[in-house]
Amino acid sequence: MPTMVTARRRPRRRTVAADAPRVRLVVLNYNGGELVGRCLEALGKVDWPADRLELVVVDNASTDGSPAVISERFGSAVRLIRNGSNTGFPANNLALRDLDGVDFVGLVNPDSCVEPGWLRPLVAALEADEGLGAVSARMLFADRFVDVELTSPTFVPGAADRRTLGVRVCGARVAGVDRWRDVQF
């Protein structure tokens, strides 16, 4: 889910294109494959002055070739920071070391596709209220997701194991294709 945070305090003011705040959008990647490519394409279409927007990908030691694809496909439009190992979410900090001149930072998941007008209301909310330190956009699942609800009778295994158990889900197939790694609970 994309989240915007203040990089430093600014006086309140209205955002105008010529004096728009400088925004850095950070995408943390680990074997993101085509998802991170779609994310970066969407971020490249954000309605924000190009000279006031910086796209940064922190790659968490991906092994799927996505760093090379990012470099080839996006070139200098995306700054790629390579992390030597997969350190998880804290690797975002690698993109936060040099915030001179950056007014706001957005953290964007690599499987997110933002709408072109997504950034302006987030920045406007942060500028309108000095008490805010972070804002977040509403997240909607893409059409490729389907809600599934399972119900089952429950039981308690025994005196030593007091868990209430029902059904164990251990796989998912769609049209005969294993989709287990795509399941979100």
Side-chain angles (χ1 to χ4, degrees), residues 147-162:
D147 288 334
V148 176
E149 182 178 330
L150 299 175
T151 57
S152 139
T154 61
F155 66 97
V156 176
D161 186 350
R162 301 301 307 156

Side-chain angles (χ1 to χ4, degrees), residues 16-129:
V16 292
D19 190 27
R22 186 160 166 73
V23 175
R24 177 178 295 166
L25 300 177
V26 180
V27 179
L28 182 61
N29 181 52
Y30 176 70
N31 291 337
E34 185 54 35
L35 289 175
V36 72
R38 284 196 302 257
C39 174
L40 292 170
E41 284 176 8
L43 290 175
K45 296 175 185 173
V46 167
D47 178 25
W48 201 258
D51 65 329
R52 309 298 294 162
L53 183 66
E54 181 184 7
L55 302 180
V56 177
V57 172
V58 176
D59 185 74
N60 244 346
S62 292
T63 58
D64 67 345
S66 55
V69 171
I70 291 166
S71 294
E72 291 169 15
R73 207 160 139 192
F74 299 98
S76 63
V78 174
R79 183 172 133 206
L80 181 62
I81 300 172
R82 295 175 189 258
N83 193 15
S85 61
N86 184 358
T87 56
F89 187 79
N92 277 309
N93 291 329
L94 297 173
L96 305 179
R97 290 181 174 171
D98 59 339
L99 293 176
D100 288 341
V102 175
D103 300 303
F104 300 104
V105 174
L107 303 178
V108 183
N109 287 352
D111 60 348
S112 297
C113 288
V114 301
E115 296 291 325
W118 156 82
L119 184 57
R120 287 192 183 276
L122 297 176
V123 170
L126 287 168
E127 287 192 314
D129 185 344

